[in-house]
Amino acid sequence: MSNVIGIVNYGVAGNIHSVQKAIEKAGGKVKIVNTKEELLAVDKIILPGVGSFRDAMEELHNKELVESLKEVVQEKSILGICLGMQILTSLGFEYGKTAGLGFINAEVKPMLVDAKVPHLGFSSIEVIKSNAILKGLENEEFYFMHSYEVVNYTDIATLTSYANHKFVSSIHKDKVYGVQFHPEKSRDAGIRLFTNFIEL
Amino acid sequence: MRTRIIAKLDVKPPYVVKPVHFEGLRKVGIPAELAKKYYDQGADEVFYIDIVASLYQREILFDTIEETANELLIPFAVGGGVRSMENFSKLFHKGADKVVLNTYALQENPDLINEAARTFGNQAVVVNIEAKKWDNHYECYSDCGRIQSEKDVLAWVKEVEERGAGEILLQSVDKDGRQRGFDINLAKQVVDAVEIPVVVSSGAGTLEDIKELIEYAKPSGVAIASLLHYDKLTIEEIKKYLRNDGIEVSK
């Protein structure tokens, strides 16, 4: 069975290279996805994430990838990382309101916390409802780098505490997975998460 | 909240060097090798500053950066001589997660902070402050403490925050490389002046220095150089000590 992981290239910065490096380290085969045809050809999809919600959605629209993602969401596993997790939701509030992909019924808002933002650093996760990509990782720490958080009441996989605030650190619904942290910056725990995703 | 323990590499390619008061350079190793060593010791992040790029008015050297980035599965911040959006893009392409700005933003064009933050996100833009103490205030310097700016540190950190910087690297020209303790008053003033995270550097000489800094100023991170380069302490030892004293750090 072919098992090619497509990393969607959107936005100017992207941390595509570190995600690619980490997936290869986890034993995966990577294809960088720029077009609809490439998206349809890969087996699993990763939405990496650095940048703003609005720019990311604009770029996905420009590349005509929004509709294609909606077409394949039933058949292909999708993993959104950081901003990539945020755009899986219905609505973002960064630089004005922007509609997201709508796979998870939630909104993305500035972190409501009485502490320094962005939240940077390694934090642990509290499992609410485990899933296949978290297998064996319940007690690990992951690297966070974000100013916005996903606000939802369903499909929550884990929570994480920052100062006295608990926020959603990963989500899961059917074939859609999202992690607010950066597995590609989370040492061996991150590589294991990618291995779990490859093995889905 | 967990305080990040960060390894800082001051690089004069092809070597990591350790300046004292930002001068009198001594070679201490190869960037990729030291980065790997500190990664294995449990560093939360690595900061890499090309300390001569700006002074020599040349571009930062990308090959060394890529080599170093390849050793790491933790965040990697890179700076030195950054003066354009093209520099940012290229550094991200070579494996940087954050870009550190100083000279160009301070002395010539602060708008680069706004532009970079808008395009790459706030978290990707770190502003490096080289503070030097005068009678009753601190002034910003650039080029390893060589060039004055007449900008007040507290006014400037507020300005860079306003412009969209996501983090501050705070160095002290007076304390750097001496291993005689941090300027904890400077650290506290800067931490309290802004809402964004502040990483404090310059002066760690003992475990007690690090603990004192964290307890007094509550920085988001501490960047360590000399102590690690001269094998006086490992990151593991630092974290273990802090944890035993009730200060939260990552594993």
Side-chain angles (χ1 to χ4, degrees):
Chain A
M1 192 189 85
S2 86
N3 190 3
V4 176
I5 313 289
I7 304 178
V8 181
N9 179 19
Y10 60 102
V12 278
N15 54 342
I16 284 198
H17 304 283
S18 40
V19 175
Q20 175 170 4
K21 209 169 70 183
I23 290 178
E24 286 169 352
K25 202 160 191 150
K29 186 161 183 271
V30 171
K31 164 86 187 149
I32 304 293
V33 168
N34 283 294
T35 65
K36 181 177 177 170
E37 290 69 32
E38 288 168 346
L39 187 81
L40 296 175
V42 298
D43 302 285
K44 296 191 177 92
I45 296 163
I46 290 191
L47 298 169
V50 171
S52 79
F53 195 110
R54 195 179 69 179
D55 292 358
M57 286 308 296
E58 221 172 80
E59 186 66 12
L60 286 178
H61 279 293
N62 289 342
K63 292 190 165 172
E64 296 179 351
L65 290 174
V66 174
E67 288 314 309
S68 332
L69 281 165
K70 288 180 179 173
E71 276 168 37
V72 301
V73 67
Q74 307 291 340
E75 311 121 50
K76 300 186 203 255
S77 297
I78 299 182
L79 170 62
I81 298 172
C82 195
L83 176 67
M85 154 174 166
Q86 297 179 355
I87 60 172
L88 297 172
T89 69
S90 3
L91 191 63
F93 286 81
E94 193 171 1
Y95 295 107
K97 280 190 202 176
T98 309
L101 292 166
F103 301 151
I104 303 274
N105 185 15
E107 295 182 343
V108 178
K109 297 192 165 165
M111 285 191 90
L112 261 183
V113 60
D114 184 22
K116 301 279 184 185
V117 173
H119 166 219
L120 302 175
F122 281 89
S123 296
S124 36
I125 53 175
E126 176 191 332
V127 177
I128 301 300
K129 189 167 187 298
S130 196
N131 61 59
I133 68 166
L134 297 175
K135 197 173 61 190
L137 297 171
E138 291 79 3
N139 298 316
E140 298 291 344
E141 295 177 339
F142 296 92
Y143 195 88
F144 290 82
M145 181 163 91
H146 63 120
S147 305
Y148 284 75
E149 63 177 306
V150 171
V151 182
N152 54 321
Y153 303 98
T154 58
D155 313 316
I156 297 173
T158 64
L159 296 174
T160 288
S161 296
Y162 176 52
N164 293 322
H165 176 62
K166 270 192 190 181
F167 65 92
V168 176
S169 51
S170 72
I171 52 182
H172 170 225
K173 183 186 178 188
D174 306 323
K175 287 183 172 271
V176 177
Y177 299 82
V179 292
Q180 182 58 67
F181 49 82
H182 289 269
E184 74 282 6
K185 293 287 150 191
S186 299
R187 299 178 165 274
D188 295 340
I191 301 299
R192 287 213 293 282
L193 187 142
F194 282 133
T195 306
N196 289 343
F197 182 69
I198 293 164
E199 286 171 357
L200 280 179
Chain B
M1 248 157 28
R2 297 174 190 185
T3 311
R4 288 175 284 148
I5 306 299
I6 295 165
K8 180 164 72 79
L9 309 176
D10 300 297
V11 181
K12 182 183 179 189
Y15 299 106
V16 174
V17 293
K18 196 49 229 166
V20 177
H21 295 263
F22 288 112
E23 290 191 30
L25 303 180
R26 198 181 303 179
K27 291 175 197 169
V28 291
I30 302 290
E33 289 170 10
L34 287 184
K36 175 74 167 61
K37 176 172 151 188
Y38 303 144
Y39 172 75
D40 290 339
Q41 288 181 6
D44 288 311
E45 299 184 23
V46 172
F47 275 55
Y48 174 117
I49 312 285
D50 183 329
I51 60 165
V52 290
S54 208
L55 193 68
Y56 295 173
Q57 300 194 330
R58 63 148 168 77
E59 268 201 338
I60 193 161
L61 298 176
F62 294 101
D63 291 350
T64 325
I65 287 161
E66 194 168 21
E67 248 176 64
T68 311
N70 283 339
E71 299 292 341
L72 302 173
L73 286 167
I74 49 172
F76 183 44
V78 181
V82 175
R83 49 190 299 128
S84 68
M85 292 294 278
E86 289 71 40
N87 290 160
F88 270 84
S89 297
K90 197 155 175 198
L91 287 173
F92 292 129
H93 190 81
K94 295 293 180 187
D97 301 295
K98 308 191 254 194
V99 170
V100 185
L101 274 175
N102 184 13
T103 306
Y104 183 68
L106 179 72
Q107 309 281 14
E108 291 182 53
N109 179 17
D111 290 339
L112 182 58
I113 300 170
N114 306 58
E115 210 183 330
R118 177 70 187 81
T119 305
F120 305 112
N122 308 61
Q123 81 296 324
V125 183
V126 182
V127 174
N128 176 14
I129 307 287
E130 294 173 13
K132 185 168 173 56
K133 189 170 186 190
W134 291 100
D135 294 339
N136 50 11
H137 79 294
Y138 292 94
E139 185 180 335
C140 295
Y141 276 63
S142 65
D143 301 83
C144 285
R146 281 184 184 85
I147 304 180
Q148 279 185 271
S149 70
E150 290 180 9
K151 281 195 168 115
D152 177 72
V153 167
L154 293 180
W156 176 240
V157 295
K158 284 179 196 158
E159 181 179 338
V160 304
E161 172 177 46
E162 184 70 21
R163 286 177 177 276
E167 189 172 15
I168 285 171
L169 170 64
L170 177 64
Q171 310 199 72
S172 156
V173 177
D174 311 298
K175 301 283 185 184
D176 199 78
R178 299 184 68 186
Q179 301 182 53
R180 291 192 190 159
F182 295 89
D183 185 337
I184 59 170
N185 291 313
L186 166 70
K188 183 163 172 52
Q189 284 179 38
V190 171
V191 170
D192 290 348
V194 292
E195 303 291 321
I196 54 177
V198 178
V199 171
V200 177
S201 180
S202 304
T206 62
L207 290 164
E208 290 76 17
D209 291 339
I210 301 170
K211 182 184 151 197
E212 182 193 27
L213 170 74
I214 295 172
E215 287 181 339
Y216 183 73
K218 303 190 168 46
S220 304
V222 184
I224 318 252
S226 306
L227 269 185
L228 302 175
H229 299 335
Y230 296 127
D231 290 315
K232 283 176 73 176
L233 288 170
T234 65
I235 294 200
E236 251 168 335
E237 288 167 339
I238 295 169
K239 284 188 168 179
K240 190 173 169 208
Y241 169 85
L242 294 173
R243 209 177 286 122
N244 285 343
D245 269 46
I247 293 171
E248 285 185 58
V249 288
S250 72
K251 278 181 201 163

